[in-house]
Amino acid sequence: MNLLTAACTPNAQALDAAALAFYLAELSGWVHEQGALQRSFRFDNFREVMDFANAVAEVAEAQDHHPDLILSYSVATLRWSTHSAGHAVTLNDVVCAAQVSALPEARP
């Protein structure tokens, strides 16, 4: 499956430990923390943070799957989990994490 072109699906089920480990190996910089995929992105200034946040919003709206997003002057932290799966990580979260990581606004 190409995560960069995949679409989120309704009623996604929580990933088991093996699947989660497999996908985490594919998602550079992402960690599984407190039931969610999480990653912090660092920027030079607040304008870059906001540009990134707006790009994330475009992905989230296109996929109809929305992260928790915490913004500060030079850091944006995203947390993806699926509420309908009991706040667990699903393939939808993996898809969105991959697509956000590929945004031109995202930094390594």
Side-chain angles (χ1 to χ4, degrees), residues 7-13 63 82 84 92:
C8 290
T9 59
N11 304 314
Q13 299 300 307
Q63 292 288 4
T82 301
S84 62
N92 290 347

Side-chain angles (χ1 to χ4, degrees), residues 37-106:
L37 292 179
Q38 180 172 311
R39 181 176 172 188
S40 293
F41 296 82
R42 301 198 179 281
F43 300 92
D44 291 333
N45 55 57
F46 190 67
R47 169 55 54 200
E48 291 178 359
V49 169
M50 292 309 299
D51 289 345
F52 175 72
N54 288 324
V56 169
E58 292 296 325
V59 171
E61 285 296 302
Q63 292 288 4
D64 194 24
H65 193 65
H66 304 88
D68 292 330
L69 181 59
I70 303 163
L71 306 175
S72 65
Y73 176 78
S74 62
V75 179
T77 300
L78 274 75
R79 290 180 50 83
W80 293 99
S81 66
T82 301
H83 304 293
S84 62
H87 296 277
V89 175
T90 68
L91 189 55
N92 290 347
D93 304 304
V94 173
V95 165
C96 289
Q99 292 178 4
V100 163
S101 293
L103 290 170
E105 295 84 357

